[in-house]
Amino acid sequence: MQLLEMVVNFDPAIEVFLFTGDYSTASAVEAIQKGAADYLTKPISVADLRARVGKLIAEMKLKRETFQLEEKLVSSFKFQGMVARSPRMLEVFSTLGRIAPHFRTVLVGGPSGTGKELVARALHQMSPVARGPFVVCNCAGVPESLAESEWFGYVKGAFTGANQDKLGLFEHANGGTIFLDEIGETPLSLQAKLLRVLQSHEIQRVGSPLARKLDLRIVAATNRDLKQEVREKRFREDLYYRLSIVDIKLPALRERKEDLPLLQRHFVEKFAAEYGKNIVGISRRAQNVLSRYNWPGNIREMENVIGNACMMSDGPMIDSCHLPSELLRQNSSDSDSSMLSLEEVERKHARRVLEMVGGNKAQAAEILGISRSTLYNLLDEVAEGSSAKSS
Ligand SMILES: Nc1ncnc2c1ncn2[C@@H]1O[C@H](COP(=O)(O)OP(=O)(O)OP(=O)(O)O)[C@@H](O)[C@H]1O
Ligand SMILES: [Mg+2]
């Protein structure tokens, strides 16, 4: 096991077979977690070994090919700087393509770090006013007392200190797009003013009786559930209806796992280039860790994790030692087998093998070397065990 670690540490791209005369499920699990490609029990026939090595070589070839294929995919799905291949995101892309030429107001929802600002910029880029300004207005950041003059500007003499006329953000965005970020945090008094702008496309500088007509596109973003905010009287219903004529929802990263490999590759490429390093991929054991994590901070979190890993890595691969400790901890608390009973380890191992063969019970039973009924027994207990845990 130590040698395995040394080899994988030396070069994470090396594939390792472990042989043992003394099979235990616990050490099989440990070997796989540490990055072994396979774990075999002695005695081994040469024919069997040849078959397995052949299979591994075929797998590596396939991996190289998918790697190249993925590279193509990354570029074909690079939609205005956004990378995705999941059905839900492809649907978002097609909606964006359809509305970009025509929209006046769009609401973009989704948890933090899912790409709402990227969507806003993409909409602007694909709109007829792409050459016009794109102005970010953070609805949560401005103190209420200042917001009106920040947003709408003021005229000379409007208040003490107003020595000259000043344009607000909305007027700066004239002829382009204004991005109203965190719209759900807007204080109620300002919501009324926003509504007026949305309805009339006019603003009034503070201290001026004059209404000025603006030609604006509006993209608003929020990570709150605005309908819920309306129900709880924190958000005006009329403003909500005005904003949500076109309503785009970005799914959390854990709801679009198909995007993980593409995003990982995208960020590895991006940061390798940025740091001038020759990093070509992610080791097997690091990939294990990344795929088991559930990314509460979504794409921004993944970007940070891969960015840091690229900074730390000196070799051609990102390895598990380059990942933040909380990712490793979450993984090992989930699957650390050192303090479990043998029975629990068997159950966990069965579940993992079943996952790896895509739920095919006959195949899993064959790999595990047990009868299908024994596997069913094991899995029933899995179901009981996990529901007891989650309740
Ligand atoms: N599909 C994607 N492909 C590539 N990069 C992405 C994608 N989605 C988001 N990102 C990147 O992730 C980071 C977060 O995206 P963004 O700022 O748009 O999220 P957000 O939804 O506005 O987050 P918050 O709610 O926290 O403001 C950005 O650096 C962005 O470039
Ligand atoms: Mg944002």
Side-chain angles (χ1 to χ4, degrees), residues 262-378:
L262 269 189
L263 282 166
Q264 284 168 12
R265 276 201 50 68
H266 170 68
F267 289 129
V268 167
E269 263 171 29
K270 173 179 159 185
F271 288 107
E274 198 172 315
Y275 301 142
K277 293 190 177 184
N278 189 21
I279 302 174
V280 296
I282 301 177
S283 78
R284 191 187 277 270
R285 57 184 177 180
Q287 243 158 21
N288 284 344
V289 174
L290 293 174
S291 65
R292 259 179 283 158
Y293 189 55
N294 84 337
W295 303 105
N298 295 298
I299 303 174
R300 178 175 296 112
E301 186 181 15
M302 169 174 285
E303 186 173 15
N304 291 341
V305 165
I306 305 269
N308 275 322
C310 286
M311 207 184 312
M312 307 279 287
S313 169
D314 295 320
M317 294 283 239
I318 285 176
D319 202 359
S320 49
C321 61
H322 305 129
L323 300 177
S325 53
E326 71 263 21
L327 254 78
L328 302 170
R329 250 201 317 279
Q330 147 145 350
N331 271 271
S332 60
S333 65
D334 179 45
S335 53
D336 186 2
S337 43
S338 55
M339 292 305 285
L340 297 178
S341 73
L342 205 51
E343 202 182 334
E344 280 171 297
V345 173
E346 278 179 0
R347 240 181 270 153
K348 272 182 184 285
H349 183 56
R351 192 166 30 171
R352 252 184 70 76
V353 170
L354 191 66
E355 250 173 51
M356 282 160 79
V357 296
N360 182 333
K361 294 200 174 95
Q363 203 185 342
E366 197 188 296
I367 292 171
L368 290 163
I370 56 179
S371 72
R372 242 193 287 180
S373 59
T374 312
L375 178 65
Y376 279 118
N377 283 341
L378 260 178

Side-chain angles (χ1 to χ4, degrees), residues 81-84 89 93 110-119 179 181-182 221-223 250 256 259 263 266-267 270 297-301 303:
M82 280 179 287
V83 176
M89 283 308 289
F93 289 176
S112 183
T114 46
K116 297 184 291 296
E117 183 162 346
L118 217 51
V119 163
F179 175 49
D181 203 6
E182 306 194 52
T222 181
N223 53 18
L250 298 180
R256 41 169 154 143
D259 291 343
L263 282 166
H266 170 68
F267 289 129
K270 173 179 159 185
N298 295 298
I299 303 174
R300 178 175 296 112
E301 186 181 15
E303 186 173 15

